Amino acid sequence: MLNPNTFSCLKAKINLKEIGKKRLPFLLYLLWYLNILTFQTVKGQTELIEVSFHQEISKKRAQYYLTGKVSHVKTKEPISGVSIHIDGYFKGNNTDNNGQFFISLDSGIHRIVFRQFGKSPAHYQVELFGDGQLDLALDNLDFELETFVLEAEERDRNIRSPITGVTKMNIENIKLVPAFLGEPDVFNVLQSMPGVTSVGEGSAGMNIRGGQADQNLIMMNETIVLSNSHALGFLSPFNGDAVQNFTLYKGSVPSYFGGRSSSALNIEMRKGNKEKWIGSGSLGTAVSKLIVEGPIVPEKTSMILVSRLSNANWLLDKANDLDVQNSNIRFHDIYLGINHQFSENSSLDFNLLNTGDYFSFSDQFGFEWDNIVGSLTSRNLLTGNFSLVGMIAYGSFNNGFFEPTQLDPSKIENGLHYFQGKVSGLLTLEKMDISFGGEAIQYQMRPEGLSPLTSESGIAPKTVQKENGIEYAPFISVNWNPNENIAISGGLRYSNYVQQGPDSIYRYEEGIPISRINITRVDFIESGKIVKYNGFEPRFSFRWTFDEVSSIKAGYSVMNQYLQTISNATGPTPIDLWQLSTTYILPQRSHNASLGYFRNFKDDEWSTSLEGFYRTTGNQLEYRDFAEFFVNPHIETELIQGEGLAYGTELLIQRNKGGITGWLAYTYSRSLIRTTSEFSEIQVNRGNWYATNFDKPHNISLVTNFHLGKGRTFNTNVNYSTGRPVTGLLSNYTIGGVFIPNFGNRNEFRIPNYFRIDISYLTNGFVRKWEDKINFSVYNLTGRRNAYSVFFQREGTNQRLVPFQISILGSAFPSITYTVSFGK
């Protein structure tokens, strides 16, 4: 093991203060200080520290592990967030809160740079022919002739990774994107990347490459999270202060993820500090937060506790509308993470997330929902080339919809809970990595109930039993690098689903569409298998690098989905029903293909990508006209299944370093559906293709970060998109003195286009003795009244239906958050 102080004197260090005083004109110094003039380090002048690691046994491997710890040369304290750049590609995360890192690299010689803003970078040439531990120390640097690097993805990852359609980002970059209420948010950042949209403000979930929101697998540390919204969709439940990074697979999804037909998003949470207790408190105009982390057992067991509580109701009081003033919104989330290190090769993690939301619109209607997810994960490095990970998890989701001022005040409640287990192994061989394992999920749907809100209500209580089911799948994946220019990743997943009793199966008269009026009998199955579905899910991706700065990637995957949401609303809502596959509701099956060209410029200062995608989905759910979903024991009579089609092109241009960083993302995509029933009377739009609710052909996002020095950044986020489809009124006509509205085909028209500008300014605080920060942001700077939807109703005494536009946010929303850290 290397001594952290051994090589500290060899690090390249340039003090611009001294140079500016002695040799540079004052104006040149001033320009640099204001970040108008940028200097670049000359590579030829960089001193390399050479180290080598060799294994004692004779058997060679294709890959080895490099671990270590980065600390401060003077204080000896660990340094978190140090970026680790390996020439040719980037692998692994930044150093964690304990300053530790873990990287798997091909055998051979690598040039590695450890850098963090305000520290002298450390340059190493590592000869890796065996597992090694590299501990090092960084020193402060007042001024450095290097530009601050901010990356939406690790440099060279877009070139070297074998999988197409991957978006990865750490929390430091997430914080630079302006967001609603000033809260750094994973979903907000994702919607500024190509291929990711939402139905509109106030809508939960995301639409990825033309897919429905429920077609995305959302995970926290590979644990499924079904409820992923706060404040009606404006925020996600993942507190940015607890997030380490996230990875979105929107192209070829690895075989160890399954259960959805569009994409997979895994959000990794931070581990607590193992050496000392630290924390921070934040007070904002809309949200208050508290973070505490530290060692339960020094160097062995750590914990992190992060809580967030809304205090945004005063904003509603400032609205001009009386109903909005009388509304109420509140939410909270709590995350607890505990990590125990048994040895260098074995650890155990416990993660718990609890969220809760409440929203009421005046005294007319409201939603409430809560979510809890807990997991226990064991990681073990059994031999030099074989590791094993095991995980068990539990999740619970409950929601409710209430109407307090109706003639008969009532409340509808539903939900589910589930158990998840997963075991996976990784075997590293010559030029090849093999991962394999299995996963199982047991779903137990809670009964759906309708109940009176008051004793005077005439609503009779009603309960509908829901389904149970189990989903399980073995999987295997192989990554093969035959040479530096070619990488192949292939996998296979064999998914299985069994609906289990008890359940009542309705039988319908044959030869006509199923409906509640042609039920012939009801079969009650107490236990055991009711229906079973399964299918192979091949996954394949390919990368060909034909020079140092460009590559071509292609991917193909098949995915089955057995759990989905049912809604007749425009976009996802908290009351949407999670529905398992049944005898009548068949599982979705998608075929996903993608092809992309990736190229970097100016030593990775600029990175670009152009990707195309094409997906077909079978058995995609759509609702019939005038559908009634809630407290319906035979919900299949309100649904119709069909074919989904999505295709498009994505362009991403990023600037990764310099005084100004950020990215421009453009997406052209179409999302279409057609119903495929054999009965023409229940077909939607006569069985022709039509746009889905989330079809928005043109989407443009521009994120810009101006780095002003001394911890100050000014950030902008500009969004433009095509208006989404709606069903519109063609005409009104009169029959016998009665006005009859004549509506067009479903989703035949569009609402106005969407446009929004957000800004934020991040700076250090004003109390020198404290480590404090200020975040000032404005959401919807121009105050534009973007349309969420268009509806039709009678105006006054006029019997004709006229259109009205709904705008969730019609004004600018400023916010200020003040954060003080302690113990650092």
Side-chain angles (χ1 to χ4, degrees), residues 341-359:
Q341 198 77 29
F342 293 101
S343 66
E344 292 184 358
N345 300 330
S346 179
S347 66
L348 186 67
D349 289 287
F350 172 74
N351 300 279
L352 180 66
L353 174 68
N354 173 254
T355 71
D357 282 77
Y358 176 90
F359 171 76

Side-chain angles (χ1 to χ4, degrees), residues 364-411:
Q364 299 178 30
F365 66 89
F367 302 96
E368 58 183 355
W369 66 100
D370 61 75
N371 185 49
I372 185 169
V373 177
S375 66
L376 193 65
T377 304
S378 174
R379 295 180 172 86
N380 303 275
L381 182 62
L382 301 182
T383 66
N385 66 337
F386 180 66
S387 61
L388 188 67
V389 178
M391 182 264 288
I392 57 174
Y394 169 80
S396 175
F397 173 58
N398 299 282
N399 58 14
F401 171 71
F402 53 88
E403 295 178 302
T405 60
Q406 299 297 312
L407 180 62
D408 294 312
S410 62
K411 182 179 182 179

